[in-house]
Amino acid sequence: PQGISYSAAQSSLSVGFGISYTIKDVTVMIPESPQPVRVDRVEVSPFLLPLIAGKMGGKIAVHQGDGNLKASFALGKSEGSLSFKSSKIDLGKLGIFPILANFTGSAILNGEGSFAGDLKIPATWNGTANITLGKITIDAQKIQGFSVPRLNISEGVVEIMIDKGKATIKSLKLGKPGNPNDDLVAVVSGDILLGKQLDTIIKIVERRHVP
């Protein structure tokens, strides 16, 4: 319904110890995205028993070079859950930065997290995410009408906990203080109150610190 399509150079189906569908050299086209998402290999294994109860679920593994992202998900009529673990995923090679943040760049993603709740009601969301980013690069470009030079950041750390619609930023750090090779150093902490409905504006309600 969102107009997303994909193509693959090769695909295969396995029914050994369960159904598994593999596609290789994948290109995903997303409407209004300046570039497609490219993936070396994707493996999808659906959970069969939840289908009897009218629920969808399964496991998905994304492989890109030396990196991989593995996740499991379940989706009912309105509620859903997701858990993931990433190792050495190159976000630049995936071409996913323009989709997530509307700018071009790259970073190496490691970490894990989980999420559960009613997808349409952020106040029901619960979850955690512990992510590290390495070799962060933001290309020279215009962001929100402002010209931004090329930025290099050695590392980033993101730790977030969501409890009943309240997201607590336990740690959000970019760069190392005193590192001359970092073009940006920042530390952010505080709470984010998610709106009652998905389209409600997210408000930062407590504290923020950016040196």
Side-chain angles (χ1 to χ4, degrees):
Q2 287 75 32
I4 299 174
S5 61
Y6 80 92
S7 62
Q10 184 179 351
S11 64
S12 61
L13 180 67
S14 173
V15 292
F17 294 97
I19 298 176
S20 177
Y21 183 62
T22 301
I23 50 178
K24 297 181 180 180
D25 297 329
V26 186
T27 301
V28 181
M29 283 71 70
I30 299 176
E32 300 183 3
S33 175
Q35 64 186 58
V37 174
R38 302 187 186 278
V39 186
D40 291 344
R41 187 170 85 255
V42 179
E43 300 168 2
V44 180
S45 302
F47 296 148
L48 299 181
L49 290 179
L51 290 176
I52 300 175
K55 298 180 179 180
M56 295 180 61
K59 294 182 178 180
I60 183 170
V62 176
H63 302 272
Q64 179 71 295
D66 295 331
N68 62 77
L69 174 65
K70 297 181 179 180
S72 61
F73 67 95
L75 181 63
K77 292 183 179 179
S78 60
E79 294 188 351
S81 64
L82 170 72
S83 62
F84 71 90
K85 187 173 184 178
S86 173
S87 175
K88 299 180 181 179
I89 280 288
D90 191 326
L91 299 180
K93 288 183 178 180
L94 282 180
I96 203 169
F97 261 135
I99 300 169
L100 296 178
N102 199 29
F103 63 80
T104 60
S106 64
I108 305 299
L109 174 67
N110 293 279
E112 58 187 1
S114 61
F115 163 87
D118 190 316
L119 301 181
K120 296 182 180 180
I121 306 177
T124 67
W125 294 358
N126 293 281
T128 60
N130 298 283
I131 296 171
T132 61
L133 299 171
K135 299 180 181 179
I136 306 169
T137 299
I138 299 175
D139 299 331
Q141 61 201 284
K142 281 192 174 183
I143 300 177
Q144 300 295 325
F146 294 94
S147 295
V148 177
R150 179 184 174 89
L151 301 176
N152 293 301
I153 306 169
S154 58
E155 63 180 30
V157 177
V158 181
E159 295 182 26
I160 297 177
M161 180 179 67
I162 303 175
D163 182 22
K164 297 180 181 179
K166 181 180 179 181
T168 299
I169 302 174
K170 299 174 66 176
S171 178
L172 198 164
K173 300 177 182 179
L174 293 175
K176 293 181 179 179
N179 186 352
N181 296 321
D182 281 329
D183 297 318
L184 176 65
V185 177
V187 178
V188 177
S189 64
D191 297 328
I192 299 174
L193 183 61
L194 305 180
K196 293 182 179 180
Q197 302 297 328
L198 187 59
D199 56 356
T200 302
I201 297 176
I202 298 176
K203 298 179 179 179
I204 300 179
V205 297
E206 288 197 1
R207 62 194 182 279
R208 180 176 62 186
H209 174 55
V210 182

